Amino acid sequence: MMKNQEEAASERVVEIGDWSLGESELGFVQTDSLALVLLGIRQWPGPEIRIRGKAWGERSLRERERLRHQIGCVYNSSSDSEEWLANLDLDENVLLAGGFDRSIDPAQLRSEMGRLARQFGMKQGIPRRRAAVTEPADQIRSQWVRALLPSPKFLLIFENPLDGAPEESASDFIAEVKKRLGEGATVVWVEESRPDFAALGFEAVVDLR
């Protein structure tokens, strides 16, 4: 059943304590890492987290896994999130989550991966090698692709997403983020220092305390 406009406008996509974000909203949190907390994977002493109106503990294991597949993340490389599985090449890492969804055509998934990689300046696609021997610039761009793949994602969590990115690729990433916001995605941007969002071209940013 389709939601009416009033219901859609009032739905909060992510809530922690007194703050919340809805569809097409960009929020900034000043800290080093929050993705694993928002995903309900890491415990924390703060307020209860609710995603689309429900706490993680109120969902079955199947519901939690299904929801997490609809959330894209870029992890802070300086945190302890271990953003890559060490025994897989980067392209295998990027495809891993989407590969669990049997409704997605593997060929289509690879095609979308290649398109996004080229869009972000990786002309040869996602590197087919381990992260340990891959330049930081290619690692962060590969994280962008993984976060956005497969589309659509209703929630995007970006931890320090421009760290180590080539300037020309960063502008392409920002353009894609704006596009996803326009399509209804909610974005949580996490960094220890507040970026100049106006210089990046974002007009409305909610500061989340």
Side-chain angles (χ1 to χ4, degrees), residues 5 8 10 16 27 31 35 37 63 71 76 129 141-142 145 147 173 186 193-194:
Q5 290 184 345
S10 64
I16 298 186
T31 187
V37 171
E63 282 183 302
I71 300 173
N76 189 346
R129 56 180 179 271
R141 290 186 291 185
S142 296
V145 175
F173 172 70
T186 300
S193 298
R194 192 182 195 279

Side-chain angles (χ1 to χ4, degrees), residues 158-196:
F158 298 140
E159 296 179 344
N160 204 13
L162 302 181
D163 184 35
E167 185 175 343
E168 62 275 14
S169 297
S171 62
D172 293 328
F173 172 70
I174 294 299
E176 185 65 25
V177 173
K178 291 177 184 176
K179 175 176 175 286
R180 300 301 176 100
L181 281 165
E183 294 170 348
T186 300
V187 176
V188 179
W189 191 297
V190 179
E191 278 197 46
E192 290 187 274
S193 298
R194 192 182 195 279
D196 187 343

Side-chain angles (χ1 to χ4, degrees), residues 54-121:
K54 292 177 67 174
W56 287 105
E58 297 172 359
R59 300 180 184 275
S60 67
L61 176 60
R62 188 168 186 175
E63 282 183 302
R64 293 197 295 269
E65 291 304 311
R66 180 182 57 80
L67 201 64
R68 285 170 182 147
H69 287 159
Q70 300 174 55
I71 300 173
C73 297
V74 170
Y75 299 99
N76 189 346
S77 59
S78 63
S79 72
D80 58 355
S81 58
E82 299 181 356
E83 63 269 25
W84 302 112
L85 294 178
N87 62 329
L88 296 178
D89 289 347
L90 283 188
D91 65 322
E92 295 171 317
N93 268 280
V94 169
L95 290 169
L96 188 62
F100 287 113
D101 189 339
R102 295 184 179 180
S103 69
I104 300 174
D105 179 5
Q108 182 180 349
L109 195 66
R110 283 192 168 275
S111 176
E112 188 176 358
M113 179 180 73
R115 179 189 65 79
L116 285 168
R118 291 189 295 273
Q119 179 180 330
F120 297 145

Side-chain angles (χ1 to χ4, degrees), residues 14-33:
V14 55
E15 302 168 79
I16 298 186
D18 294 333
W19 66 255
S20 66
L21 289 172
E23 294 179 357
S24 295
E25 288 188 322
L26 166 62
F28 171 68
V29 183
Q30 190 166 357
T31 187
D32 63 336
S33 179

